[in-house]
Amino acid sequence: MQQHTETEENYLKAIYHLSNVTISSVNTSSIATSMSTTSASVTDMLKKLADKELINYEKYKGVKITRKGEKVALNIIRKHRLWEVFLTKVLKFEWDEVHTMAEELEHVSSDELIKRLEAYLDFPKFDPHGDPIPDQTGKLEINDQMSLSSGDAGVKYTITGVGEHSSAFLKHLAKYGLKPGITVSIAEIMEFDKSMLVKVNKEKFHLSLEVSKNILVKKYGII
Amino acid sequence: MQQHTETEENYLKAIYHLSNVTISSVNTSSIATSMSTTSASVTDMLKKLADKELINYEKYKGVKITRKGEKVALNIIRKHRLWEVFLTKVLKFEWDEVHTMAEELEHVSSDELIKRLEAYLDFPKFDPHGDPIPDQTGKLEINDQMSLSSGDAGVKYTITGVGEHSSAFLKHLAKYGLKPGITVSIAEIMEFDKSMLVKVNKEKFHLSLEVSKNILVKKYGII
DNA sequence: TTTTATTTTTAGATTTGTCTAAAATAATAT
DNA sequence: ATATTATTTTAGACAAATCTAAAAATAAAA
Ligand SMILES: [Mn+2]
Ligand SMILES: [Mn+2]
Ligand SMILES: [Mn+2]
Ligand SMILES: [Mn+2]
């Protein structure tokens, strides 16, 4: 098994994630944005990743991740999410505190370590943000969740995840006590701006479309 | 709190360990040997560490670690040893398997993470190899152990640690089932080469001086 | 106290990942 | 179709950590 640098791993992860939001190939500038670096640096790295056959790269035509590259990316994501479960379930961190630590832990190389951690955590299928955890072969269960913004008034939903992972957004949700596992019922949907009034344990509050769009849910009672 | 690179941290740790075996100041070549690098590289790094006031460095006169540098080193060692406890106690790794993984984990930066890990492990005072774990302030309990080689025939001892941490040595001990916690009684000491015949649970075997010197023990019954 | 050997430092390259500025290409507008 | 704008790539430079080979300093031996 080939070894990759931490930087290469981070680029691959970013490209993998972008591939899931983009129909065609991933372009240089979107990678630059998501990595907080310049397009020039990205181009340099793309050549290196292409040499290692982790991506298919054609000058000026963007990038497609290869099966090989995808496997590497999924392994990093697997480690990231298992560590996030460990940090919340075992060390009792809040779900909005674990991402930064997992960004470091995901690069610890031992596959045996992660195998044992997975077993110790009793083979969790989803991380604290509702994202699926790939198994050793890279397969991941699809969490068939919907956005709260497409829910109906008068119906109860259980939060299963989020569509946006920024610390700012997670802390915003935490302020209302909103996190995976919590039950929310939609009291009213405003025609004008698609904002909604929701009820959580007797408390009522207002959610903008920007927020409700990024809260992922299932109908209450459906596991 | 200043940030240090992983490389700087590794150099500091090496210098700290060498300081405890050397009476005077630590010289360039011993650092090079212990870091598996060249003296030229070491000299470069020493300048950098001196700039950050982590060591006192005088050209051609070797190096003394400062209080500040010692604190950094002790924090890395603290993390290393706590992760080793986690790997053996929680994930059930053998004591001869954990060092390499701990070498990576020790650089994960969050101090809050290590504080919670320590609490979760119930504040262990020693790692799986019998080495003391520094507390948050850098203080460490002294394990007043002796070398098995200075023990007496007919006396029972409990293994508390090792004086040599190489994988080769640890695996050699593992072959005989020797590890911290195990009780050993010295059956006979050979005058000629100071090797010894020891008994562990009915089984008898021969230990060379080279081996017995690096097994650290306490008299059986004395906690 | 010279001479010789060892250790340490400097000088100059190399690799990895980054940057800015300029050139090349592609996409959009007129 | 040509001009304008946006995107991407190249060129050249830089910082970190490393290396080899040569020079300088110290230690040991004669
Ligand atoms: Mn995360
Ligand atoms: Mn997550
Ligand atoms: Mn160790
Ligand atoms: Mn240890």
Side-chain angles (χ1 to χ4, degrees):
Chain A
M1 201 169 279
Q2 207 175 169
Q3 203 78 305
H4 311 101
T5 67
E6 201 167 311
T7 315
E8 286 169 347
E9 289 184 348
N10 284 331
Y11 270 98
L12 268 180
K13 204 172 40 136
I15 293 167
Y16 173 85
H17 283 309
L18 288 167
S19 303
N20 291 331
V21 224
T22 323
I23 307 102
S24 59
S25 42
V26 179
N27 58 345
T28 305
S29 55
S30 62
I31 300 171
T33 307
S34 96
M35 294 286 297
S36 307
T37 185
T38 62
S39 291
S41 302
V42 172
T43 303
D44 288 344
M45 181 54 81
L46 294 184
K47 287 174 191 163
K48 214 161 50 132
L49 294 176
D51 280 347
K52 295 193 173 186
E53 298 181 303
L54 297 164
I55 57 171
N56 289 317
Y57 167 56
E58 275 188 276
K59 264 192 189 181
Y60 293 102
K61 299 207 168 171
V63 141
K64 275 198 171 72
I65 196 162
T66 62
R67 186 75 194 97
K68 188 180 166 192
E70 194 169 68
K71 268 190 169 173
V72 176
L74 280 164
N75 193 233
I76 312 292
I77 290 167
R78 168 177 157 78
K79 292 195 265 180
H80 182 105
R81 292 180 181 167
L82 281 169
W83 279 115
E84 284 190 345
V85 174
F86 170 77
L87 293 169
T88 51
K89 288 281 164 63
V90 181
L91 298 190
K92 309 296 179 195
F93 279 99
E94 291 300 317
W95 73 314
D96 58 334
E97 299 177 309
V98 297
H99 181 73
T100 320
M101 290 177 262
E103 286 289 317
E104 293 186 55
L105 287 162
E106 71 187 5
H107 300 289
V108 173
S109 59
S110 169
D111 283 334
E112 179 62 24
L113 165 52
I114 218 67
K115 239 171 87 179
R116 297 222 190 174
L117 183 65
E118 183 183 33
Y120 178 69
L121 298 171
D122 207 19
F123 301 93
K125 290 283 162 283
F126 300 98
D127 86 357
H129 311 102
D131 296 311
I133 299 172
D135 70 13
Q136 276 186 80
T137 68
K139 266 201 279 294
L140 35 80
E141 217 160 283
I142 281 127
N143 197 347
D144 63 336
Q145 48 199 359
M146 54 181 275
S147 170
L148 181 62
S149 63
S150 60
D152 300 308
V155 182
K156 279 171 90 174
Y157 298 93
T158 304
I159 300 180
T160 55
V162 288
E164 147 87 44
H165 293 72
S166 72
S167 175
F169 181 64
L170 298 185
K171 282 191 198 313
H172 180 74
L173 293 189
K175 212 152 42 180
Y176 296 113
L178 296 174
K179 61 178 171 181
I182 295 289
T183 303
V184 181
S185 73
I186 302 183
E188 194 186 342
I189 300 175
M190 313 301 165
E191 257 318 309
F192 176 63
D193 63 354
K194 307 286 181 203
S195 69
M196 50 174 66
L197 212 65
V198 299
K199 213 170 95 176
V200 179
N201 314 319
K202 261 123 227 200
E203 259 197 277
K204 264 192 187 171
F205 44 83
H206 199 98
L207 297 180
S208 71
L209 177 60
E210 187 56 30
V211 168
S212 67
K213 239 199 299 196
N214 285 305
I215 298 176
L216 304 177
V217 298
K218 290 188 179 184
K219 270 201 181 151
Y220 179 72
I222 295 172
I223 321 121
Chain B
M1 203 171 277
Q2 205 177 173
Q3 202 77 305
H4 311 101
T5 68
E6 199 166 314
T7 316
E8 286 169 346
E9 289 184 348
N10 284 331
Y11 269 97
L12 267 181
K13 201 172 42 137
I15 294 167
Y16 174 85
H17 284 309
L18 289 167
S19 302
N20 290 333
V21 224
T22 324
I23 307 104
S24 60
S25 43
V26 179
N27 59 344
T28 304
S29 55
S30 62
I31 299 171
T33 306
S34 95
M35 293 287 295
S36 307
T37 187
T38 62
S39 290
S41 302
V42 172
T43 303
D44 286 344
M45 181 56 81
L46 294 185
K47 287 175 192 163
K48 215 160 50 130
L49 294 176
D51 279 347
K52 294 193 174 187
E53 297 181 303
L54 297 163
I55 56 171
N56 288 318
Y57 167 56
E58 273 188 276
K59 264 194 188 181
Y60 293 103
K61 299 208 168 170
V63 141
K64 275 198 172 72
I65 196 162
T66 62
R67 186 74 195 99
K68 187 179 167 192
E70 195 169 68
K71 268 189 168 174
V72 176
L74 281 164
N75 193 232
I76 313 292
I77 290 166
R78 168 176 156 79
K79 292 194 266 180
H80 182 105
R81 292 179 181 167
L82 281 169
W83 279 116
E84 284 189 344
V85 174
F86 170 76
L87 293 169
T88 50
K89 288 280 163 62
V90 180
L91 298 190
K92 308 297 179 195
F93 278 100
E94 292 299 317
W95 73 314
D96 57 333
E97 301 177 308
V98 296
H99 181 73
T100 321
M101 289 177 263
E103 287 289 320
E104 293 185 57
L105 288 162
E106 71 188 4
H107 300 288
V108 172
S109 59
S110 168
D111 282 334
E112 179 62 23
L113 166 51
I114 218 66
K115 238 172 89 178
R116 298 224 190 172
L117 183 65
E118 182 183 35
Y120 179 68
L121 299 170
D122 207 21
F123 301 93
K125 290 284 164 281
F126 300 97
D127 85 358
H129 312 101
D131 296 311
I133 299 173
D135 70 13
Q136 276 187 80
T137 67
K139 266 199 279 293
L140 35 78
E141 217 158 283
I142 281 128
N143 197 349
D144 63 336
Q145 47 200 358
M146 56 182 274
S147 170
L148 180 62
S149 63
S150 60
D152 300 309
V155 182
K156 279 170 91 175
Y157 298 93
T158 304
I159 300 180
T160 54
V162 287
E164 147 87 44
H165 293 71
S166 72
S167 175
F169 180 65
L170 297 184
K171 282 190 198 312
H172 180 74
L173 293 189
K175 214 154 40 184
Y176 296 113
L178 295 175
K179 62 177 172 181
I182 295 290
T183 303
V184 180
S185 73
I186 302 181
E188 195 187 342
I189 301 175
M190 313 300 167
E191 257 317 309
F192 176 64
D193 62 354
K194 307 287 181 201
S195 68
M196 51 174 66
L197 213 65
V198 298
K199 213 170 97 178
V200 180
N201 313 319
K202 261 124 226 200
E203 260 198 278
K204 264 192 188 170
F205 44 82
H206 198 98
L207 296 181
S208 71
L209 178 60
E210 186 58 29
V211 168
S212 67
K213 240 199 299 193
N214 285 305
I215 298 176
L216 304 178
V217 297
K218 290 187 182 186
K219 272 201 180 150
Y220 179 72
I222 295 172
I223 322 122

